[in-house]
Each structure stands twice: as structure tokens, then as C-alpha cells.
Amino acid sequence: MSEQVSGQQRPALQSLDQALARLLAAVSPLAGHDTVATQDALGRVLAQDVSSLLDVPPADNTSMDGYALFAADVSKPGTVLPVAQRVPAGTVGALHQAGTAARIFTGAQIPLGADAVVMQEQCEAVVDASATAGLGSVRVNAPVQSGQWIRRRGEDVQQGALVLRAGERLNAASLGLAASVGAAVLQVARRPRVALFSTGDELVMPGEPLKPGAIYNSNRYTLLGLLQGLGCEVIDLGIVPDKLEATREALRAAAAQADLIITSGGVSVGEEDHLRPAVELEGRLDLWQIAIKPGKPLAFGEVRRGDAPNDGQAWFIGLPGNPVSSLVTFALLVRPVILRLQGATALTPKCYRLRADFDWPRADRRQEFLRVRLNEAGGLDLFPNQSSGVLTSAHWADGLLDNPASNPIQAGQLVSFLPFSELLS
Ligand code: AMP
Ligand code: MG
């Protein structure tokens, strides 16, 4: 989408919401599922609902070490009952006889007929050779209510209940829950294959000497980490020189293997920026100017997989080269795309309203994403240098303050906060 301005192509300025809506409308979930062992499904997106075939817990059980009994048998504290059986976890006791107690241990099934557990701290063992099975007796030193310290069958999950929904990203708690209903394998969306390369003749990989005029390539590491965290299979194409032919070759190699190509740098309109013409020659490209800071230029398009009409194409997203811009545009625009490719239902992070503990008097005309940190008073502090080249700001911060265009902030005001715990994972 561009407009003709005095003979020159000037990309149209659009809002973040518009850009995101266009990206999400353009891509659709990838076909194909993987069946993976539950323990290997961390971070994947569930492709099929998980329902429980059983109650969890499967039977009433005790949440305390103590004595199981029939509450009505303890008319008052001090009552002594013979101990009729011993029920460790993993065993099933005998039918409970009225007027007795069962020694019982956390997690053990409640013997049928008992309706309460008294914790052992409120009991005293009474040695009594004449008692049943040589287990002695117990003095119950506290009043007893029917149902106490019993975890009910099905109180966590009921048979037939939907426990995990397709589209959910699996975290440690989801995997534990799946296991608790006996799921040994899960159906998950296939991993998106993402080709990644950085452009820039000034870039050098860590581990190599820094020649004059060079800087280390940090975006590769940031983007690699972000992609891996989102469950992608990354095809790392390293650094591509600022040359048209080299860029075209890299794009062809990327498209042959990947669902999506992500690049950093070279999307401005400088004469050393070859990505735009290269993508135009290898496919189709829109250069977007998004009204956000940091960020602004973003390239979106497609790269053909071959010359035949049904060879298909890979999606292409070109991020700006400045390290913070690259991280922020990935978090706000690429992350939702990658989640959508996996059929995820939650695509954008939760936003929290928090108090700014600083002034920001000279707001930009674009929507700004300020690097801020949570303080112990429940407010937000601002990193002093908000330049898009200062990666320290992102490392220091706990998230981004999403500030509307032209909105000066006064200390004490409520603002919108997007935590990195969501944005960067
Ligand atoms: P560009 O978008 O290529 O014009 O780059 C904008 C700024 O980001 C320049 O200062 C580049 O040196 C810097 N830059 C580009 N790519 C990287 C990268 N991979 N790692 C660190 N800095 C980069
Ligand atoms: Mg460059």
C-alpha cells in the first residue's frame, strides 16, 4: 500500500493495529500436526482438545497424615478408638468398621465408610495390647467434622471435562495437568520453519575480531532466541552482505526451506538497502511505515519457492536493523504471526494498567513503546536512554509501556504495561 507523491513512492503511514490486522489476515495456520510425548510438548501449541476420561483424584483421599474415622464416633474430644488398619498411600484399605479408626497417610484412599480424617498432631497413640491387629488405639483430642481433610473424588477434574483446549500454548502447568488425566502424548501444531538472516556489511559475528567500522551482530541472537522460544525450527542463514545479488540468493535459499523469512536491517530506503528490490524481484513486497517508536519501517511480502506457478511462496517480514526496533517490532508484530501459524488462540499479550513513577513530558507523535521496569512500590520506572540503538534498555526493562501518540505522561498517572514475560516468550 503506497501513495504516489510527486513521482516518488512513499509508503503510507499506518497504525500498529492496522498493520497487525493486515498481517494476521494474510497468514493462516499451517497444515499438519505432530504427535509428541507429553514431556516434549513444552511451548508447543495444542492442536486437539484434551478431555479427561477419569475423575481426578480418582477416589476420595486424605490430605493429611492421621486417622480416618467416622465423625459421629467422636462425640467429644478425648474419645479413644481402636486402630483397625493401616492405609499407606497407594494401597486400598478394608471396609471401615464403625467405632474404629484407620491409621492413614497423605494421598491414601479413604476406606469406604469413613467420612473424616483427624491430623496426627491432634491425636495420641495409645499402646494397648488387647486392641485389634496389634495396632493399638488412638485418642482423638479435637472435635471432628464430617468431610474434614478429605480431597473429594473429581474435585480437581471431573470425568468428561475439557481440561486443555486446542490453541493453547503449553506451559509446565499444562503438561502436568495433561499428565494428571493420563495423557502420554499430545497433538500439537507443527513447528513453523523460519529462515533468519541479518543484513549489513558492518556486521561481524561474536567470536570474530572486530575490524574498523564493524559492530557485532546482536539481532541474530535476539531474534534466534525469540524464534526458538516460540517453538520455531530456525534455518539460520547468518549475515548477508549489502549486495543485491547476494540478498536475492539468500532469499531463494530461505524460501526453499521455510514457511516464513525474517530479516533484520536494510529495509530503510537508503541506497545500501537492498532487501526491498531483492524481495520485489523474488516475489512481492509492501514497505510499511508504522506509526510506532521504536520501529517504523517494516517490510512484508512473499518470496517465491521456485518459478513454477504452484511452487508456492514463503512469507517475508523484514524488520528494522536497530536492535531495540528489531526486538520491539518482532514482539508486537511477528510474535502474533508465528502464534497464528501454529493455530494459537491468544495472539497478543495481556495489558496491565500500572502507575508511571516518572514524567514523560515530550511524547512523540507516534505510539511509543518505552522500556520500563516494575519497582517495589508497584509502579514503573523509565530507562533513561530510550534510543532504539540502546539494547541495554531492553535488558534492564521488565516490559514496554504502550503510550498512545502525543500523550505526555505525568508521574502518578495510570499507563498501559506489556510485560516481557509475555512479549518475549
Ligand atoms: P539498517 O536498518 O540496516 O539501516 O540498520 C540500522 C542500524 O541498525 C544501523 O546502525 C546498523 O548498524 C544497526 N544494525 C543493523 N543490523 C544489525 C544487527 N544485526 N545487529 C546489530 N545492529 C544492527
Ligand atoms: Mg543496513
Side-chain angles (χ1 to χ4, degrees):
M1 201 217 270
S2 17
E3 56 197 54
Q4 207 70 22
V5 181
S6 53
Q8 274 197 322
Q9 287 270 304
R10 197 186 68 185
L13 200 69
Q14 56 188 308
S15 72
L16 176 67
D17 287 348
Q18 284 168 328
L20 184 59
R22 286 176 70 187
L23 284 173
L24 293 177
V27 302
S28 41
L30 300 169
H33 302 160
D34 293 332
T35 304
V36 298
T38 299
Q39 72 266 24
D40 297 328
L42 187 66
R44 305 291 293 271
V45 176
L46 196 64
Q48 207 172 65
D49 291 346
V50 175
S51 297
S52 181
L53 298 175
L54 48 117
D55 287 322
V56 181
D60 290 358
N61 71 87
T62 172
S63 60
M64 286 287 169
D65 287 339
Y67 294 84
L69 42 74
F70 184 53
D73 286 339
V74 183
S75 49
K76 57 180 192 317
T79 302
V80 175
L81 299 173
V83 178
Q85 58 177 327
R86 197 169 178 280
V87 193
T91 64
V92 178
L95 193 67
H96 183 77
Q97 302 298 325
T100 71
R103 181 72 173 116
I104 197 163
F105 300 91
T106 305
Q109 202 167 310
I110 304 293
L112 209 62
D115 71 347
V117 170
V118 185
M119 61 167 99
Q120 63 192 16
E121 293 79 354
Q122 294 180 336
C123 298
E124 245 173 277
V126 180
V127 185
D128 169 1
S130 67
T132 338
L135 292 172
S137 301
V138 62
R139 176 175 295 111
V140 179
N141 289 328
V144 182
Q145 279 194 336
S146 175
Q148 71 179 36
W149 305 120
I150 293 179
R151 302 164 174 154
R152 290 292 171 202
R153 170 180 180 159
E155 79 171 30
D156 186 356
V157 177
Q158 286 185 359
Q159 188 182 359
L162 180 64
V163 288
L164 299 171
R165 224 177 258 280
E168 179 170 326
R169 266 180 94 195
L170 298 165
N171 64 20
S174 349
L175 298 189
L177 185 57
S180 77
V181 303
V185 294
L186 295 171
Q187 304 295 322
V188 296
R190 112 166 142 74
R191 293 182 184 280
R193 282 189 285 272
V194 182
L196 174 68
F197 65 84
S198 320
T199 71
D201 283 346
E202 73 279 32
L203 301 178
V204 163
M205 287 295 197
E208 289 172 13
L210 199 66
K211 51 186 195 257
I215 57 164
Y216 282 120
N217 178 0
S218 60
N219 290 348
R220 172 190 178 246
Y221 295 82
T222 307
L223 297 172
L224 201 58
L226 286 162
L227 290 167
Q228 286 167 345
L230 287 166
C232 299
E233 204 178 283
V234 183
I235 301 145
D236 182 10
L237 299 174
I239 299 168
V240 171
D242 286 325
K243 305 261 179 321
L244 182 64
E245 205 39 54
T247 310
R248 290 184 68 177
E249 265 172 44
L251 288 170
R252 284 197 290 267
Q257 308 171 66
D259 303 302
L260 171 68
I261 303 168
I262 302 286
T263 65
S264 82
V267 287
S268 314
V269 281
E271 55 197 63
E272 292 294 333
D273 293 320
H274 298 292
L275 256 177
R276 188 164 70 133
V279 179
E280 276 165 353
L281 288 164
E282 295 299 326
R284 192 186 57 75
L285 182 91
D286 281 333
L287 185 65
W288 295 352
Q289 295 292 329
I290 304 173
I292 55 171
K293 190 182 176 186
K296 202 164 174 191
L298 188 103
F300 175 61
E302 292 165 22
V303 177
R304 288 186 299 273
R305 294 220 166 93
D307 294 326
N310 50 7
D311 282 342
Q313 66 279 314
W315 299 112
F316 169 84
I317 303 179
L319 302 174
N322 275 308
V324 182
S325 309
S326 175
L327 178 143
V328 168
T329 47
F330 184 101
L332 298 175
L333 291 156
V334 182
R335 179 181 178 274
V337 166
I338 289 173
L339 292 174
R340 176 152 166 77
L341 290 177
Q342 297 178 78
T345 35
L347 301 180
T348 48
K350 279 191 206 131
C351 180
Y352 300 84
R353 296 291 287 171
L354 291 174
R355 188 189 64 242
D357 285 342
F358 59 88
D359 291 320
W360 183 249
R362 281 177 299 278
D364 198 88
R365 285 164 61 189
R366 291 177 271 162
Q367 182 178 4
E368 289 173 296
F369 291 91
L370 305 172
R371 272 74 71 213
V372 291
R373 190 192 251 190
L374 291 160
N375 60 37
E376 286 178 1
L380 295 170
D381 294 332
L382 180 75
F383 190 77
N385 187 342
Q386 293 286 322
S387 156
S388 62
V390 175
L391 203 46
T392 315
S393 67
H395 173 252
W396 176 90
D398 290 320
L400 299 174
L401 186 163
D402 176 356
N403 195 39
S406 309
N407 181 57
I409 298 169
Q410 274 188 349
Q413 227 171 283
L414 285 183
V415 293
S416 297
F417 174 69
L418 305 170
F420 278 159
S421 55
E422 294 201 27
L423 274 180
L424 303 189
S425 62

